[in-house]
Amino acid sequence: MAHAVEIRNLHKSFGALQVLKGIDFTVDPGQVVCVIGPSGSGKSTLLRCVNLLEEPTSGQVVVDGVELTHRDVDIDAARRRVGMVFQQFNLFPHMTALENVMIAQRRVLKRGRAEAERIAVENLEKVGVADKRDSYPAQLSGGQQQRVAIARALAMSPALMLFDEPTSALDPELVGDVLTVMRKLAEEGMTMLVVTHEMAFARDVADRVVFMDGGVIVEDGPAEQVIGAPRHERTKSFLRRVLDPTHTDV
Amino acid sequence: MSEQSTMTGPPVGPSGASSGGAGLSPRQRRNISRGVQYAVFVVLAALVVSWADWAAIREHFLDMKVAENLFPEIFTIALKNTVIYTVSGYVLGFFLGLVVALMRLSSAAPNRWIALVYIEVFRGLPAVLVFILLGLAVPTAFPGIRFPFDEYGVVAIALGLVSAAYMAETIRAGLQAVPRGQMEAARSLGMSYSRAMITVVIPQALRIVIPPLTNELILLFKDSSLVFAIGVTSATSELTKFGQDIATEYADSTPLLLAGATYLLITIPLSIVVRRLEARQAKAR
């Protein structure tokens, strides 16, 4: 079976700072993989390399059979198949929710207005914010904004969805709405790569959990094993700190 | 002028209510300071009024017989031409400025250098010099060259070249004020760099720079008077030249005063618009 994502020996440096030090991993179609790890471990950079928002220093990224790191690849075409959801939502503030979900369908996929609107409304309904279609982002709560952002990515019919700490900028009481939407997507069989601090979500929804630290993958396995019975000391120590913030063992 | 008072007695605590020499409260001292300021204004105004020769002023600046000769041409020709010069120069300057701003942020170094040289040259030159160079030197250097619409073309291009340099820097600041995540979100949806710029970044940047760009319109409105440097006919003269010509003809300054008032007729409403826009942006933030 072809992989949805295949990453081989990926390195990324910002100047002298080595952020990714040789990453190898794969995501299979329909899989939900959560990437966890302390801040600065390189997990967001890894995610951003998957759709080439960051250009890898060396190594290969293959998404849906297309090697994005090949110099002849049409990166704009390749990105259409990869949806991305950001920590800060990044909705377009000068457009309504509906326009946010329509604009790339119109300009990139060249869909007609009626078709783009129909697909936009479908996706806004799916994430539960169809009643906010004519609101501007500034008029929406963080949770609503993030759900519009998810609808915007889904409207492009992606083969893979990337989530970069999608709930980290939300007020605690709004986290649940966004996680519910993501859980529903996972159940529908969407291939998802999620950088997150939500351990309960990772344990319940992810097929696999990847623990990163210091620019390398420390542990990669089934969710119940990596979170429930971690093998590596670094994983254990990280999970102790995350699951019980008052616990100090460092 | 120092508000700070020196300690003259024993320490009286942090309130400082009685720390003034005469035991005045801060509010009393502020009121006295205001009163002194107003008194100075009144004295200065009185001096100017008493010094002025009111009979001469009435004759040379407010001569109704001379003023009659300005109408309706001050509006139908002079103001009309001022507006045409300003608007055509502004439109040209805006689009050129947008291009220069984008070049300034380009990832290709030569683009950045060209944009930088352009900005430095046209911001550094007096606008009047650009007018003269364009109106007189360019036709010499390129024999047979003809600007479209004659004087109108020369003025539009000269004003456009100068204002583009200022507008480029303003627009660049606006483009940089749009969060990086906007470009990233657009690119991650499959938009090309230029598509993302046109659809997502530039519209937001322009919204940010509307107030400073309107200020630039006011500046340009006044700079259109520099057209005198290339020589204009009575049909193409604008407010300043128009006022000056009639002032010379009648040896009377009334036309200058009226020309000035006509400028304010346009610039003051524009300033009010700018202030409103700025207030609205401050509130939105």
Side-chain angles (χ1 to χ4, degrees), chain A residues 177-197:
Chain A
D177 293 339
V178 172
L179 290 182
T180 305
V181 168
M182 291 170 62
R183 193 182 290 257
K184 195 161 90 182
L185 272 183
E187 281 162 9
E188 288 172 8
M190 175 62 76
T191 312
M192 294 162 62
L193 184 54
V194 185
V195 170
T196 188
H197 292 294

Side-chain angles (χ1 to χ4, degrees), chain A residues 48 51 53 76 79-80 82 84 86 90-95 103-104 107-108 152 156, chain B residues 180-193 195 199-201 203-204 207:
Chain A
R48 291 162 60 84
N51 70 350
L53 277 184
D76 297 329
R79 282 195 183 119
R80 280 169 219 168
V82 183
M84 176 123 182
F86 299 85
N90 294 350
L91 288 181
F92 307 134
H94 57 306
M95 300 181 192
I103 186 70
R107 298 280 181 271
V108 177
R152 177 174 70 175
M156 304 296 284
Chain B
R180 226 174 67 129
Q182 292 291 311
M183 176 56 94
E184 290 183 347
R187 296 304 303 272
S188 76
L189 288 164
M191 292 186 198
S192 65
Y193 176 84
R195 170 46 70 194
T199 312
V200 174
V201 179
Q204 292 182 56
R207 237 158 265 217

Side-chain angles (χ1 to χ4, degrees), chain B residues 16-65:
Chain B
S18 59
S19 62
L24 295 170
S25 74
R27 180 197 293 269
Q28 282 168 320
R29 269 185 287 142
R30 197 167 58 232
N31 285 344
I32 290 172
S33 152
R34 290 252 171 87
V36 169
Q37 286 170 31
Y38 297 148
V40 168
F41 289 139
V42 169
V43 168
L44 283 176
L47 270 176
V48 169
V49 167
S50 64
W51 189 6
D53 179 346
W54 286 101
I57 287 176
R58 211 168 299 127
E59 192 189 331
H60 292 290
F61 288 90
L62 300 164
D63 188 332
M64 284 308 137
K65 285 210 186 61

